[in-house]
């Protein structure tokens, strides 16, 4: 059953471009055969279980998610492109396809024993094939009147290694057609190892070429991502470098969905999550699943991202999750982008430590964002789930590193609970704590584990891009911001407006933190 009314769906029809799904890595011949035998290469898999139990038996809570493919069809009117048992890349295909189509890039067919030689091909070949597929879709797509589409665009959605296939195609000018690249409007990745894969803290070595496992080695990645001459990569090459630099594609149009649940990833009888370690989704490190780009001033900035307590795949996997699907559809079809930051004004040590010269501390910034009336969260960063944002005391005091990026949320008018309302409403839960205080390397024994410097929930309501109201849950501190004419003009022009909301501070209390949640609102898809 669709959550979107016919009226609201009509308002976003111009955004419903073809969606191309690019699946992840299949290591073995049997996995490639399973992929080739599945019409949707796994993207048709839904789930019925949720991680949070309510009863004393600790049973999984039922939460049915029908799969991203089914939901795109039921909610947004998409259709597949299979006809008479044929795929659009098959010889003999003569038909056309609806513009609002879901297309699965079946790059593992040749690597299966069912349709090919059972051997994988290099990522470079997959990237070129993606280019050919995009051109093919453009040539076959027709509108509701059976006319060709002159302003064709498409979206790419990729899981795991599929995101690297997309980046290779977009970043490496030798891999595919420039016209095909210009047709990609947005890219969304689930749990992609943008900075490679680590096992026991070590990047996959370049000599491990069996089954193309070196696809996740930094040196190999730098080659197919065309980063070998990139200054940022070269500056760190001696340390094997970071390869999570996005090039040749707009930073704001590439979304990273990051999983944080390693416990429920059961591949290889749990060995994968063991070697991937804490701070991972069971295979990909949380810190390696985000991507970075440049703004107009050539400053390094994060691509928009959100976090979910989901594993790399499986019953509790990130692809077959409501959280990831909601982020996907809001990123593609939403109205408003909100980047959430915390700006630190000041941190105050416990009174007994204020005269100490060598104090070490790590501050945790947790955030949970949830729309009104829904049973899921848009983003979730929690310390115990290893996804928390961290700043050290030294970074804040000595290096003035006081701006903490927390997450990006895309909001949508078509998903409001009350269709007649002109208000978007959601909650932002903010918790700030200190792991521990160290004095000259020794633990400060007056610290209470788990204590928070700040903990509260902010309820935010945005009305027609003209007014924002908020209140903090515990002390009921309220606020309102009416956008000025200049701000409304900026919003109308697609520019950002920044809104700082101070956290309630207890005066003269130590330890403490003062600062502001900062929401950077930007009209999206306008």
């Amino acid at each position: 059953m669709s959550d979107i009314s016919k009226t609201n769906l009509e308002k976003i029809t111009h955004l419903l471009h073809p969606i191309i799904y690019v699946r992840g890595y299949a290591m073995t011949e049997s996995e490639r055969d399973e992929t080739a035998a599945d019409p949707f290469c796994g993207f048709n898999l839904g789930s019925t279980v949720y991680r949070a139990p309510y009863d004393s038996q600790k049973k999984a809570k039922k939460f049915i998610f029908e799969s991203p493919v089914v939901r795109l069809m039921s909610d947004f009117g998409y259709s597949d492109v299979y006809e008479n048992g044929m795929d659009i890349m098959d010889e003999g295909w003569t038909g056309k396809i609806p513009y609002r189509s879901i297309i699965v890039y079946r790059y593992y067919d040749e690597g299966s024993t069912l349709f090919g030689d059972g051997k994988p091909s290099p990522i470079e070949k997959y990237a070129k094939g993606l280019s050919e597929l995009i051109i093919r879709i453009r040539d076959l797509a027709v509108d509701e009147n059976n006319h060709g589409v002159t302003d064709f665009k498409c979206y790419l959605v990729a899981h795991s290694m599929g995101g690297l296939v997309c980046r290779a195609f977009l970043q490496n000018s030798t891999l595919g057609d420039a016209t095909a690249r210009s047709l990609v409007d947005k890219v969304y990745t689930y749990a992609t190892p943008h900075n490679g894969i680590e096992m026991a803290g070590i990047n996959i070595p370049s000599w491990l070429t069996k089954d193309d496992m070196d696809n996740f080695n930094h040196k190999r990645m730098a080659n197919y991502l065309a980063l070998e001459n990139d200054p940022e990569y070269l500056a760190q090459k001696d340390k094997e470098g970071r390869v999570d630099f996005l090039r040749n594609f707009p930073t704001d149009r590439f979304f990273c969905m990051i999983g944080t649940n390693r416990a429920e990833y059961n591949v290889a009888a749990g060995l994968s999550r063991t070697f991937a370690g804490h701070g991972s989704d069971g295979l990909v490190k949380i810190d390696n699943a985000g991507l970075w780009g440049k703004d107009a001033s050539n400053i390094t900035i994060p691509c928009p991202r959100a976090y979910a307590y989901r594993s790399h795949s499986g019953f509790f996997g990130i692809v077959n999750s409501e959280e990831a699907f909601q982020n996907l559809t809001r990123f593609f079809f939403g109205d408003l982008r909100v980047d959430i930051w915390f700006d630190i004004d000041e941190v105050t040590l416990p009174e007994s430590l204020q005269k100490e010269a060598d104090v070490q501390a790590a501050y945790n910034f947790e955030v949970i964002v949830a729309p009104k009336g829904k049973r899921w969260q848009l983003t979730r960063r929690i310390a115990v789930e290893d996804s928390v944002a961290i700043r050290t005391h030294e970074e804040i005091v000595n290096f003035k590193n006081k701006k903490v990026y927390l997450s990006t949320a895309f909001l949508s008018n078509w998903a409001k609970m009350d269709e007649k309302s002109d208000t978007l409403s959601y909650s932002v839960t903010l918790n700030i704590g200190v792991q521990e205080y160290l004095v000259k390397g020794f633990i400060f024994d007056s610290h209470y584990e788990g204590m928070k410097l700040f903990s509260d929930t902010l309820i935010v309501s945005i009305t027609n891009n003209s007014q924002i109201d908020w209140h903090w849950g515990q002390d009921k501190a309220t606020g309102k911001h009416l956008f000025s004419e200049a701000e409304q003009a900026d919003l109308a022009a697609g520019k950002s407006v920044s809104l700082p909301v101070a956290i309630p501070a207890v005066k003269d209390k130590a330890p403490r933190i003062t600062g502001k949640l900062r929401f950077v609102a930007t009209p999206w898809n306008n």
Side-chain angles (χ1 to χ4, degrees), residues 244-261:
D244 50 353
F245 305 128
L246 177 64
R247 297 295 184 261
N248 304 326
F249 194 78
T251 300
D252 65 336
R253 304 187 83 78
F254 200 114
F255 190 99
C256 302
M257 192 71 209
I258 301 172
T260 64
N261 179 1

Side-chain angles (χ1 to χ4, degrees), residues 13 27 76 87 137 153 165 175 204 233 251 269 274 306 313 475:
T13 297
M27 183 172 72
F76 297 95
D87 178 54
I137 295 168
K153 290 290 181 180
V165 173
L175 303 179
I204 294 287
Y233 173 74
T251 300
T274 298
S313 63
D475 64 3

Side-chain angles (χ1 to χ4, degrees), residues 293-312:
K294 297 286 188 179
D295 65 8
S297 303
N298 205 37
I299 297 174
T300 300
I301 57 172
C303 290
R305 63 195 63 182
Y307 301 75
Y309 190 63
R310 292 283 180 167
S311 59
H312 193 76

Side-chain angles (χ1 to χ4, degrees), residues 391-459:
R391 286 285 187 276
T392 66
H393 190 75
E394 184 182 23
E395 286 175 328
I396 296 170
V397 175
N398 295 335
F399 298 104
K400 310 299 182 183
N401 193 0
K402 294 185 175 184
K403 299 183 186 301
V404 185
Y405 171 73
L406 297 176
S407 231
T408 299
F410 288 87
L411 306 176
S412 57
N413 282 298
W414 46 259
K416 288 183 298 194
M417 292 291 290
D418 182 359
E419 189 176 323
K420 297 180 181 179
S421 172
D422 59 358
T423 300
L424 294 170
S425 184
Y426 61 99
S427 67
V428 181
T429 298
L430 176 68
N431 300 315
I432 306 173
V434 182
Q435 291 176 335
E436 59 191 8
Y437 294 102
L438 300 178
V439 181
K440 297 179 181 179
F442 294 96
I443 296 177
F444 173 58
D445 59 9
S446 295
H447 172 66
Y448 292 93
E449 183 63 28
M451 282 189 64
K452 302 294 184 185
L453 300 180
F454 179 81
S455 180
D456 207 342
T457 297
L458 183 73
I459 307 300

